[in-house]
């Protein structure tokens, strides 16, 4: 029933063999809906005493109609399980719906190949088979009175109520919009149009604490037509989204938050609802778990029914204060950025001047001779790298061209220093951020209470308009004017990407901002209609985690784009077969881009592994290491228990040795040590997960497992979740099937997802000799970090003579400084450890690089100190002239810090 790899399966059915009703349905859909599903195999069951027929697997296909035949093409070996069958069959098969669904679980949008689908079906309900199920020699009829599963296929056309049909209708309608209308939406950036100019927007505010990158992201969401946020695991993307929403709502705007993943919406909803718990400002359109399904029409009816309220005007003085704080912080951050850019350029210019002096004074080289190629190449590379990251105004002025004389270089140095001196900082961004959060917490509940309140006059007017719609029997979604009224009083909407077309009107720029969460797992086509519903867009994702898996082949994708006359230059960016929504946004010219760098979730060694292997060293450790819940006798980080793989070939990707080792470890943790952190077990292969689940459930009590929020799942199913302790079963060894090794090799992101789920400890139970063999490079690196001592930076490494001097002064007084200590993605000048849990960061600062024009410490240093204090460190900084004046007094202060 599915094609071999790289091939298509063609089915031809005579039109005369189809029922009249089916042929009518084809005619109705032929203009714009030429997809259908092949259902296979077919299950017969009973519902409320009556026979019912379900397709179990759904295979996507395309159809066309000749004069005599219906031509069907299946272009992928990809089967999705039918959710209606899961509901109906679970009870009769002795499963709960959730556990039966987990048998077939994959990443959203990802199906199973035929062999894997059949294997899982046999494990779940083999006793219900009526004959052999193969998909090749199918039966010609079934007995509707005899329940069971039959080797039979059927064709199913999508109904007008399907999610994809709604997106298709939206796209058809958007295709008729004129350029001016498109320019009023966030589609303008995607389509390469000039976005319509917007009114001045106030600076960003924040809920809770934010770091510099998060603030930058929130500000971009307030001002840029399209913003792309890269959010690696644990970097606070949900906190950033909440502050984006708060910023828009506080200034009278509206927001639509969308995701294909209901779990992602759950996490965001939980945080957003706390902004103003006493006000109904938030609407969740669809949540199957809570049986929520509501549209704009439903919310309008609800608004009309609720009693009229008197709006409470928010404190104007406090609102003015909030605006002042936000503007002040924006100025300070701009000044910090400008200082950083100037200091960067000055530092490289000083290096060049020193090199020029050396050439001129020692080698007798003409002042017009070029610098050493290697040095200048490095400077140019650094400057261009800075420019490529989207930072503003670091240019290469003429005096810095190769061959400039020493006189010209010194003149340029003085000019830049004067420019730096002209900058005057106007506040501490850390203190301002804290004050903004406090003010927002006081004022935003009143702002939202005022917005959701409906006066008697408004309620009556809306009731009359709603009644008119009912009398005229108007169908479909609300007209634009009424939709705007609904958004005015319910300014925040959370919707699934595919469910939005049925529940949210297609009105250009209805929302001020649309935020796509988990965009790496979202396809392009279903998301575009939501761009049309908003003026600005934010796309949040991570291309280093498991991606969107398209069910569209490359050839088919290319043919579709060519048929629509799409230019070759746009094809790569819009290729649904290869790009996710995140990819599309990230490749869009002019998009504002921010990467969140501070990792607040995990132990330092866990962050170190994913940072080096997957994120190019961009992450910084920001979690409070003292608050991590590691099991007794285990240090936070990555641990490895060597479990040699069986010599005989593994059957069905099940490694029984790893199952036994993990069960024994869980018994020790939960029954003996009474571990109280949360626990997850992950494996790459579903059969191994099933074997682990069966063994664990059969050994440990349900109460123990519930206490630690236990869950076992595949890497795909664990994306977006986290636990204090993750037990990972690689299920690989020298006897593993080539297909199993290839499965892990071909997507290196699986190990990123698996290990980054852990907060305190990621404990691997696997064959160490196989891991060290290097057949899977990311597994080899994981084994190295878990089992080999990490080299420390040499204690003789100092950045200045004053660092060297204070190091030996401290040593001579019985203290034990560690030079160049790594923490939070940075190196401390010195780390010292005192009684109890005291940790001290000692910094030795020269005024040239660490003082502003007023002689005060640079704000960038204060921001860094604030982060370290949040991790439980004390910070002590000395100017070198302080050390020169009173070394003894400085060391005495250090002693007090450590006591």
């Amino acid at each position: 029933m599915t094609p071999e790899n790289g091939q298509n399966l063609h089915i031809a059915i005579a039109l005369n063999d189809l029922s009249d009703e089916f042929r009518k349905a084809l005619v109705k859909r032929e203009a714009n809906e030429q997809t259908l599903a092949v259902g296979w195999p077919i299950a017969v069951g009973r519902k409320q005493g009556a026979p019912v027929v379900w397709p179990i697997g759904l295979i996507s296909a395309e159809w066309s109609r000749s004069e005599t035949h219906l031509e069907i093409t299946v272009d992928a070996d990809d089967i999705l399980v039918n959710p209606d069958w899961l509901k109906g069959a679970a009870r009769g098969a002795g499963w709960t719906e959730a556990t039966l669904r987990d048998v077939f679980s994959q990443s959203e949008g990802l199906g199973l190949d035929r062999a894997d689908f059949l294997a899982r079906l046999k494990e779940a309900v083999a006793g219900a088979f009526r004959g052999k199920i193969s998909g090749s020699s199918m039966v010609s009829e079934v007995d509707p009175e005899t329940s069971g599963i039959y080797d039979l296929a059927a064709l199913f056309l999508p109904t007008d109520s399907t999610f994809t049909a709604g997106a298709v209708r939206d796209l058809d309608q958007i295709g008729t919009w004129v350029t001016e209308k498109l320019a009023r939406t966030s589609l303008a950036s995607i389509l390469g149009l000039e976005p319509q100019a917007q009114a001045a927007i106030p600076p960003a505010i924040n809920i809770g604490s934010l770091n510099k990158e998060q603030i930058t992201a929130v500000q971009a969401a307030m001002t840029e037509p399209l913003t792309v946020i890269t959010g690696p695991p644990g970097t606070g993307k949900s906190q950033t989204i909440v502050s984006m929403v708060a910023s828009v709502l506080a200034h009278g705007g509206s927001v639509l938050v969308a995701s294909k993943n209901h779990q992602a919406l759950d996490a965001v909803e939980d945080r957003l609802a706390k902004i103003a718990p006493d006000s109904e400002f938030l609407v969740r359109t669809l949540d199957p778990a809570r049986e929520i399904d509501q549209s704009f029409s439903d919310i309008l009816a609800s608004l009309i029914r609720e009693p009229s309220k008197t709006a409470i005007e928010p404190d104007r003085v406090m609102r003015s204060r909030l605006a002042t704080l936000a503007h002040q912080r924006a100025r300070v951050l701009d000044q910090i950025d400008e200082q950083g850019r100037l200091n960067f350029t000055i530092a490289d210019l000083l290096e060049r001047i020193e090199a020029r002096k050396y050439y001129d004074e020692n080698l007798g080289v003409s002042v017009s001779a070029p610098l050493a190629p290697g040095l200048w190449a490095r400077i140019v590379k650094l400057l261009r790298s800075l420019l490529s990251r989207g930072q503003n105004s670091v240019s290469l002025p003429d005096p810095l061209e190769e061959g400039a004389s020493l006189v010209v270089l010194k003149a340029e140095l003085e000019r830049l220093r004067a420019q730096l001196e002209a900058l005057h900082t106007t506040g501490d961004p850390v203190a301002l951020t804290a004050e903004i959060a406090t003010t927002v917490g006081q004022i935003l509940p009143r702002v939202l209470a005022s917005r959701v309140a409906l006066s008697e006059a408004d309620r009556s007017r809306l009731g009359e308009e709603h009644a008119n719609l009912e009398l005229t029997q108007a169908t479909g979604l609300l007209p634009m004017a009424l939709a705007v009224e609904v958004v005015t009083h319910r300014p925040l909407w959370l919707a699934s990407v595919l469910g939005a077309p049925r529940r949210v009107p297609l009105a250009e720029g209805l929302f001020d901002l649309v935020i796509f969460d988990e965009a790496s797992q979202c396809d392009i086509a279903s998301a575009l209609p939501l761009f049309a519903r908003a003026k600005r867009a934010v796309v949040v994702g991570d291309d280093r985690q498991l991606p969107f898996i398209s069910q569209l082949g490359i050839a088919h994708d290319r043919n579709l784009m060519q048929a629509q006359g799409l230019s070759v230059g746009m094809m790569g960016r819009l290729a649904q077969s290869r790009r996710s929504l995140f990819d599309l946004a990230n490749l869009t010219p002019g998009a504002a881009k921010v990467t969140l760098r501070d990792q607040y979730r995990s132990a330092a060694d866990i962050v170190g592994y994913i940072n080096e292997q997957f994120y190019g060293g961009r992450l910084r450790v920001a979690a409070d290491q003292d608050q991590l819940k590691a099991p007794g006798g285990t240090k936070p980080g990555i641990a490895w228990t060597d479990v040699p793989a069986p010599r005989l070939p593994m059957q069905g990707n099940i490694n029984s040795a790893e199952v036994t080792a993990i069960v024994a470890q869980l018994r020790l943790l939960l029954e003996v040590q009474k571990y109280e952190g949360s626990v997850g077990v992950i494996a790459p292969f579903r059969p191994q997960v099933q074997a682990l689940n069966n063994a664990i459930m059969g050994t440990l009590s349900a109460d123990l497992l519930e206490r630690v929020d236990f869950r076992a799942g595949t890497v795909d199913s664990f994306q977006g979740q986290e636990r204090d302790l993750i037990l990972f079963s690689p299920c690989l060894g020298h006897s593993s099937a080539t297909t199993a090794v290839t499965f892990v090799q071909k997507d290196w992101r699986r190990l990123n997802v698996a290990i980054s789920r852990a907060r305190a400890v990621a404990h691997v139970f696997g064959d160490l000799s196989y891991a060290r063999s290097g057949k899977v490079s990311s597994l080899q690196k994981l084994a190295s970090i878990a089992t080999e001592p990490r080299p420390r930076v040499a204690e003789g490494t100092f950045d200045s003579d004053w660092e060297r001097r204070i190091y030996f002064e401290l040593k001579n007084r019985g203290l034990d400084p560690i030079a160049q200590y790594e923490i939070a993605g940075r190196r401390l000048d010195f780390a010292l450890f005192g009684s109890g849990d005291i940790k001290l960061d000692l910094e030795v600062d020269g005024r040239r690089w660490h003082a502003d024009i007023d002689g005060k410490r640079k704000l960038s240093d204060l921001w860094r100190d604030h982060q370290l204090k949040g991790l439980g460190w004390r910070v002590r900084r000395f100017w070198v002239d302080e050390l020169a004046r009173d070394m003894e007094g400085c060391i005495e202060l250090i002693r007090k810090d450590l006591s």
Side-chain angles (χ1 to χ4, degrees), residues 360-378:
D360 290 350
E361 296 171 6
N362 297 299
L363 300 181
V365 181
S366 167
V367 294
S368 61
L371 285 180
L375 174 63
W376 180 235
R378 182 163 61 85

Side-chain angles (χ1 to χ4, degrees), residues 475-534:
T475 58
L477 295 167
L478 295 183
M480 178 66 167
L482 274 179
V484 171
E485 291 266 15
V486 172
V487 167
T488 298
H489 298 290
R490 294 292 185 269
L492 174 59
W493 288 66
L494 276 64
S496 65
V497 171
L498 287 171
R502 290 184 58 210
R503 298 166 178 84
V504 181
L506 179 58
E508 79 275 10
L510 176 61
F511 294 92
D512 292 286
L513 180 69
V514 59
I515 302 172
F516 294 93
D517 194 13
E518 301 286 2
S520 306
Q521 296 183 48
C522 183
D523 66 286
I524 295 170
S526 61
L528 290 180
L530 275 69
F531 279 90
R533 290 167 163 86

